[in-house]
Amino acid sequence: MPPYLGENHSTAAAFIDQIDTSKLRLPVEMTENHAYLESIAPGNQAAKASIDIALHDLKAQMEGSPLYRILGSDPAKMKATACTIGIDTPEMVAKKVLEAEQFQYIKVKLGSADDKAIINSIQRVCHKPL
């Protein structure tokens, strides 16, 4: 989690532990669920975002519809997005890049001793912009 949010895994877990799931509205009612999550504690934006994303996914699954349709979006008008690949072994990064076939761009997290090997492994399996 970004440190500027003042959150970490422990604070997110502590917030999530406070959620009474019986108070979440199903079928998913976003406005009411957001209000409930806000009532638990101020801040905790990363933890709340994770719950929000999960609820949006659940709503789409329950309705048997892609989330873009529920949100009123048109994929033909959407900007191209990148798939972010986290730091891992060069072999695992190459595997993840292959699994990201539908993305036009690949964003690669670097900062390990294997950065050059990671980039080389990507370039062996993919020619998309990084």
Side-chain angles (χ1 to χ4, degrees):
M1 278 183 258
Y4 61 84
L5 291 176
E7 295 179 73
N8 58 47
H9 290 93
S10 296
T11 61
F15 176 81
I16 290 170
D17 285 344
Q18 295 178 65
I19 297 172
D20 177 353
T21 57
S22 70
K23 293 185 179 182
L24 293 174
R25 304 283 298 171
L26 297 174
V28 179
E29 297 295 333
M30 292 302 176
T31 302
E32 293 165 14
N33 287 334
H34 289 161
Y36 169 64
L37 293 173
E38 285 298 320
S39 75
I40 295 171
N44 298 285
Q45 297 307 313
K48 289 173 183 172
S50 71
I51 300 298
D52 182 68
I53 291 165
L55 289 170
H56 275 84
D57 184 56
L58 177 62
K59 182 177 180 80
Q61 289 181 41
M62 291 173 76
E63 293 185 13
S65 180
L67 184 57
Y68 73 82
R69 190 169 296 135
I70 291 169
L71 296 174
S73 297
D74 178 355
K77 295 179 182 177
M78 291 181 190
K79 300 286 185 190
T81 59
C83 178
T84 302
I85 309 292
I87 295 174
D88 210 323
T89 65
E91 297 77 21
M92 186 56 72
V93 168
K95 180 178 183 282
K96 290 177 182 177
V97 166
L98 289 171
E99 291 171 355
E101 178 61 32
Q102 71 272 27
F103 292 90
Q104 291 182 287
Y105 305 96
I106 303 295
K107 177 180 175 184
V108 184
K109 299 284 187 164
L110 299 173
S112 74
D114 288 335
D115 285 353
K116 186 172 177 96
I118 287 169
I119 295 298
N120 289 337
S121 72
I122 293 169
Q123 291 175 331
R124 278 193 292 277
V125 300
C126 169
H127 299 293
K128 294 180 182 183
L130 301 181

